[in-house]
Amino acid sequence: MRITCPLCGSRDRREFHYYGGAVYAERPAADAPPEAWDGYLHLRDNPAGETRDLWYHELGCSAWIEVTRNTVTHAVLSARLLAGPERQGRSARSILTKKKPNSGGKGR
Amino acid sequence: MASLLELTPCEGLLPVTAGGVTLAELPPALITSIAPFEAKQAAVARVLKSLGLGWPRPGRMIARGDACCLWSGRGQAMLIGAGAAGLEGIAALSDQGDGWARMRIEGAHSEAVLARLVPVDLSPAAFGKADVARTALGHMMLLIARTGGQAFDLMVFRSMARTAVHELTVAMKAVAARDNAT
Ligand SMILES: [Zn+2]
C-alpha cells in the first residue's frame, strides 16, 4: 500500500503511523454533552467502502494527514494536511493547493 | 579540568570504499533546525535570502558555497554551515550540530546501494540535483539530498551512526559482489 503525502509525494506505507478514524481530529467543545465526548472517544464506524483516517508521516515530513481510502478496493483516493484546530477547513485545503506536491520527494 | 576527546559521529568507521562506491563522513558543521513561527514564514525567508540562501520548497535544498538550507519536514528546514543570526524571535531554532551523523556516498553504483535501503525512487528523473527527501534508511530516520550526479548526502541521528555505516557497508559490498559476478 502506498500513500501520497501532500508534501513528500507517493510513499510506502511503512513510513506512516496509523491513528484511526479522522473523527478523532474533530474534538467536541469543552462544554459539549457527555454523549458527544463518549462518541468522540469510543465510537467509530467501520464502513465497507470509503473511509477517512489519520496517518502520521513519522519516517517522513512529520505531518499529520487525513487519508480517504476504500476498505473494499484498497484504493487510496486522496490525502490532505491537517491544520491546527483554529485554522481547520480554511488552511488545510489551501496548503494543498498553494504548495505543489513535490517530487523527489516530488509528487510521484 | 578533565581533558575530553572530541570525536566525530563516524570516527574510526569511515571512509569505506567498495565496488567503486565511497562512503565518507562529511566535516563537522553548524546545524540549526528552523521552524518559522506562525505568520513569520516570509520574514524567515528574507533573512535566509540575505545569507544567499532562502526557504526551500518541500523536497528541495538551496546551497551556496559551504552553506545550505534543506527542507526537513513540514514547516521545518535545516540550516547547515551558516549561523542563524537574525532568525531569533521569528522562528524556533535549535542547535543540532552534535545530533547528526553526516555522510556522503559517491560513485557510479551509489543509487543501487541506496535502493537496497531507502524506499523512494532515487533515479535522476525522480530525484535530481538538490532534491531532498525525509525517509528511511532501513528502519532509521534519514534526511537525504542529491548533491551531485552520483553523490548523495545522508543525515541520520548521531546515535545511529554505527548502524547506518554497517547497513550501508553491507549494501555496498553486496552490490560490488553482484558487479564482480557479471
Ligand atoms: Zn510527508
Side-chain angles (χ1 to χ4, degrees):
Chain A
M1 175 170 157
R2 292 182 73 81
I3 295 172
T4 301
C5 170
L7 295 176
C8 303
S10 172
R11 294 295 181 93
D12 192 273
R13 181 256 175 274
R14 84 187 84 159
E15 294 191 5
F16 298 86
H17 171 73
Y18 178 70
Y19 206 72
V23 291
Y24 201 70
E26 288 145 23
R27 195 181 171 88
D31 57 356
E35 295 75 24
W37 278 99
D38 181 53
Y40 169 70
L41 288 171
H42 304 298
L43 304 181
R44 294 293 181 268
D45 293 330
N46 185 21
E50 215 170 290
T51 186
R52 294 181 305 132
D53 35 35
L54 301 181
W55 295 79
Y56 177 57
H57 198 182
E58 62 179 350
L59 271 177
C61 65
S62 307
W64 280 97
I65 61 177
E66 182 192 287
V67 175
T68 305
R69 64 191 177 95
N70 190 306
T71 57
V72 175
T73 64
H74 301 303
V76 173
L77 304 166
S78 66
R80 67 179 187 96
L81 291 174
L82 286 178
E86 75 282 6
R87 296 181 296 161
Q88 212 142 40
R90 181 171 62 84
S91 72
R93 280 286 166 197
S94 64
I95 288 169
L96 253 180
T97 47
K98 225 163 40 191
K99 284 183 189 141
K100 263 177 52 196
N102 76 316
S103 53
K106 300 178 292 194
R108 279 164 299 114
Chain B
M1 185 88 173
S3 145
L4 302 174
L5 291 176
E6 190 183 340
L7 300 178
T8 63
C10 303
E11 189 96 33
L13 302 173
L14 295 177
V16 174
T17 298
V21 175
T22 297
L23 181 68
E25 181 165 32
L26 287 166
L30 215 55
I31 305 175
T32 310
S33 82
I34 304 170
F37 291 145
E38 180 103 51
K40 296 292 181 192
Q41 181 71 56
V44 169
R46 272 197 299 279
V47 173
L48 290 169
K49 268 237 156 69
S50 73
L51 297 173
L53 300 165
W55 182 261
R57 282 192 294 117
R60 294 289 292 167
M61 69 181 275
I62 302 170
R64 187 181 158 121
D66 287 337
C68 64
C69 192
L70 284 89
W71 177 84
S72 60
R74 186 179 185 181
Q76 189 196 67
M78 294 284 170
L79 178 61
I80 302 178
L87 292 171
E88 306 88 350
I90 54 173
L93 305 173
S94 84
D95 177 354
Q96 301 197 4
D98 281 333
W100 295 88
R102 294 170 64 234
M103 294 162 275
R104 176 166 296 170
I105 187 165
E106 199 160 12
H109 294 312
S110 52
E111 254 172 68
V113 170
L114 291 169
R116 292 177 174 240
L117 296 164
V118 181
V120 297
D121 182 359
L122 297 175
S123 65
F127 195 78
K129 185 121 191 272
D131 274 345
V132 170
R134 235 181 89 174
T135 178
L137 178 84
H139 294 115
M140 280 167 273
M141 163 76 71
L142 171 74
L143 187 56
I144 180 171
R146 184 189 282 273
T147 46
Q150 296 173 331
F152 299 86
D153 285 10
L154 313 173
M155 287 169 68
V156 298
F157 297 146
R158 183 186 183 128
S159 59
M160 307 276 176
R162 188 173 291 271
T163 308
V165 168
H166 172 75
E167 295 221 22
L168 284 161
T169 307
V170 168
M172 283 161 64
K173 286 179 180 159
V175 169
R178 262 181 87 95
D179 210 34
N180 289 337
T182 52

